[in-house]
Amino acid sequence: MSKQYDVIILGCGEAGIFAAYELARIRPGLNMLALDQGHDIYRRSCPIVAGRVKECIHCPVCDTMCGFGGAGAFSDGKFNFTTQFGGWLTDFMEAGEVMELIDYVDSVNVLHGATTEVYSTETPEARKLERLALAHDLHLLQARCKHLGTENNLRILTNIYEGLREKLEFRFDTAVTQIRQADGGYRLELAGGEELSCRFLLSAPGRSGAEWFAKQCQGLGIELINNQVDIGVRVELPAAVFEHITDVVYESKLVYRTKRYGDSVRTFCMNPYGHVVAENVEGINTVNGHSYADPALRSENTNFALLVSNRFTQPFNEPYRYGKHVASLSNMLSGGVLVQRFGDLVGGRRTNEHRMSKSYVRPTLTAAVPGDLSLALPKRQLDDIIEMIYQLDKIAPGTANYDTLLYGAEVKFYSSRLALSGELETALPGLFAAGDGAGVTRGLAQAGASGVRAARAIAERIS
């Protein structure tokens, strides 16, 4: 006989955490369970970060992506107060409601140790940067931003976990193999054969569980809508090049439409004085960036992603798989993450160990292998990236220097989206979806907000 719960939350990433927090706050004593295939916050440890290995060894469950805190646990903790990017919650509710939810999530973080310092885009200096960008056909998206810091982000999550662990049941290292409808709710089958039942199910599988959740939805007869996939590189250059921008707005989201193809290219996840890191997405090595709040942990470089957005139409219906395939090409060529100097790329030369040794920019991801990005990335996306780098050089001279480093591939997977109500309920009553894995958010702020919204809807219905 299966164990019965009022609510089961699938996934302990940002959306799942804030859903659990809000339900525990509104309905204390609720019979609630939160499941995750990864470890708790104390046992999450990537072998690369810990210094035990130099490259990904393809752990059965990736500690960088899975466990309490999800993929955001080891991020540098950028928290953006905006509806312009970071998700699509405004497709389901009014912008004002989304911002109220984001502010609420921030207040919870502050209660658990987050900074109150905010980078504003309303200052004269920020407006001056906006005008400079517009003069060169670059668009600086407006958003207040907090930088929590990689080390502080973990501390905040640990504090939240300690506050929650006595209020609900957690099960880590637990994989769900199937979701089925049952009388008055849902039944989950676990990898070991155990079954669990609940009246309400909130699925927040995060990025690592996105493909799995899409298959579960197909099995349940829930319609999925294709989402985009963003393909690009991570740029690393001396921090001084972007210092006049990052000192003012920290996270500068710059968007450009290329003249050659009319494609949208954007900067993403800017990390002043940061470090480039590798991450594993279901066996595929991709690249990302971190930045610490502690000055003692900083580097001399700034890194950021340059991403080209790709939207697909019928009959193609596998953007997630397409992105993984592109990333796998760089893995095939380098055994992991590939790095190339910008000057070598433009000149049609492969960067090798000798050429890299001559570079004035020292890579912070020392495990990256010198190579040729033109053999891994599609030509169109690479042309877009090169054009964008030359455009950025006009507002940040030095971006197009010969020794600017480009790591590949950086791929941002957007889960297939579900048709949801304003309460984030699927077409099946009692089944809610939230966070990045459900394709409705892309970042800490809106992911947490989506978890709160779904939790409040469930709380209203539990008698």
Side-chain angles (χ1 to χ4, degrees):
M1 184 175 179
S2 62
K3 188 172 181 181
Q4 180 73 35
Y5 293 90
D6 293 321
V7 182
I8 292 179
I9 297 171
L10 290 182
C12 293
E14 192 79 357
I17 289 169
F18 277 91
Y21 180 92
E22 192 67 359
L23 278 167
R25 183 186 71 84
I26 299 173
R27 300 298 300 268
L30 197 65
N31 186 16
M32 178 167 48
L33 170 69
L35 296 169
D36 200 284
Q37 64 176 328
H39 299 322
D40 66 27
I41 193 68
Y42 295 109
R43 293 189 298 131
R44 291 186 65 181
S45 176
C46 173
I48 299 175
V49 176
R52 297 194 297 271
V53 297
K54 291 186 177 180
E55 58 187 41
C56 182
I57 57 174
H58 303 291
C59 300
V61 177
C62 177
D63 264 328
T64 301
M65 301 296 290
C66 303
F68 190 90
F74 295 104
S75 73
D76 72 320
K78 292 188 193 70
F79 193 95
N80 292 300
F81 298 80
T82 183
T83 60
Q84 288 194 69
F85 51 86
W88 301 271
L89 286 182
T90 51
D91 289 356
F92 309 101
M93 60 194 83
E94 295 295 326
E97 183 180 0
V98 176
M99 288 306 302
E100 287 176 4
L101 290 168
I102 289 174
D103 286 335
Y104 173 72
V105 170
D106 174 61
S107 72
V108 174
N109 282 333
V110 170
L111 283 175
H112 293 85
T115 181
T116 57
E117 181 183 1
V118 178
Y119 290 85
S120 175
T121 54
E122 299 300 323
T123 64
E125 294 83 359
R127 291 299 183 187
K128 183 179 179 181
L129 285 175
E130 183 182 15
R131 290 192 297 272
L132 174 64
L134 285 171
H136 297 285
D137 205 12
L138 290 160
H139 301 268
L140 180 63
L141 300 184
Q142 300 297 314
R144 291 179 294 127
C145 175
K146 276 189 178 182
H147 175 223
L148 304 179
T150 302
E151 73 281 32
N152 293 331
N153 201 32
L154 284 170
R155 177 172 54 82
I156 295 163
L157 287 168
T158 301
N159 292 339
I160 293 175
Y161 177 59
E162 284 300 324
L164 280 177
R165 63 192 304 184
E166 302 302 324
K167 298 176 182 177
L168 68 143
E169 180 183 349
F170 283 100
R171 285 204 200 182
F172 296 100
D173 309 303
T174 302
V176 176
T177 56
Q178 189 174 13
I179 301 172
R180 297 197 304 271
Q181 284 186 279
D183 291 339
Y186 296 88
R187 184 166 295 168
L188 309 183
E189 184 176 319
L190 307 185
E194 182 183 359
E195 290 191 346
L196 305 172
S197 298
C198 60
R199 291 173 58 196
F200 294 92
L201 179 62
L202 199 167
S203 189
R207 299 175 195 176
S208 62
E211 206 166 11
W212 170 86
F213 184 52
K215 291 177 182 177
Q216 295 298 315
C217 288
Q218 290 170 350
L220 290 165
I222 299 174
E223 181 183 359
L224 296 172
I225 305 167
N226 274 347
N227 242 357
Q228 70 190 59
V229 59
D230 291 349
I231 296 171
V233 299
R234 182 152 292 265
V235 179
E236 186 169 41
L237 36 65
V241 174
F242 266 79
E243 205 167 40
H244 64 293
I245 296 175
T246 56
D247 282 356
V248 175
V249 293
Y250 192 83
E251 168 76 311
S252 54
K253 298 275 190 181
L254 291 156
V255 181
Y256 173 68
R257 189 165 298 283
T258 62
K259 302 300 182 288
R260 184 165 188 177
Y261 298 110
D263 293 336
S264 176
V265 189
R266 63 191 173 98
T267 63
F268 178 80
C269 187
M270 190 164 287
N271 297 287
Y273 314 100
H275 299 263
V276 177
V277 298
E279 67 179 22
N280 183 294
V281 180
E282 299 176 358
I284 302 296
N285 288 322
T286 59
V287 65
N288 210 326
H290 290 175
S291 182
Y292 295 94
D294 185 351
L297 299 175
R298 294 174 179 173
S299 76
E300 297 179 349
N301 296 342
T302 285
N303 69 77
F304 57 90
L306 282 184
L307 299 173
V308 183
S309 296
N310 301 267
R311 284 197 174 273
F312 299 93
T313 57
Q314 295 295 333
F316 186 83
N317 64 356
E318 295 184 280
Y320 199 96
R321 184 179 172 190
Y322 172 77
K324 287 177 67 176
H325 176 71
V326 171
S328 70
L329 293 178
S330 66
N331 289 184
M332 186 186 302
L333 291 167
S334 64
V337 174
L338 189 153
V339 62
Q340 187 172 20
R341 295 188 300 174
F342 180 65
D344 289 336
L345 174 65
V346 174
R349 290 180 293 275
R350 171 181 173 269
T351 299
N352 54 27
E353 293 286 353
H354 174 72
R355 292 188 177 112
M356 182 59 75
S357 70
K358 303 295 184 182
S359 176
Y360 287 108
V361 182
R362 309 311 302 171
T364 54
L365 180 57
T366 56
V369 176
D372 189 349
L373 287 165
S374 68
L375 298 177
L377 294 181
K379 180 180 183 299
R380 179 166 178 158
Q381 282 85 345
L382 210 52
D383 287 346
D384 286 335
I385 289 165
I386 291 171
E387 185 177 334
M388 175 62 154
I389 287 175
Y390 281 125
Q391 203 68 15
L392 288 173
D393 194 70
K394 296 175 182 178
I395 66 168
T399 304
N401 283 357
Y402 198 106
D403 288 334
T404 291
L405 301 179
L406 308 180
Y407 297 83
E410 177 135 355
V411 180
K412 298 304 178 189
F413 302 100
Y414 295 84
S415 314
S416 295
R417 292 180 64 183
L418 289 75
L420 300 173
S421 72
E423 296 178 327
L424 304 185
E425 187 177 24
T426 70
L428 299 182
L431 174 55
F432 294 76
D436 290 15
V440 296
T441 68
R442 190 67 195 180
L444 297 178
Q446 289 202 38
S450 70
V452 172
R453 182 66 189 93
R456 289 176 179 174
I458 292 172
E460 288 177 1
R461 300 192 196 181
I462 294 179
S463 56

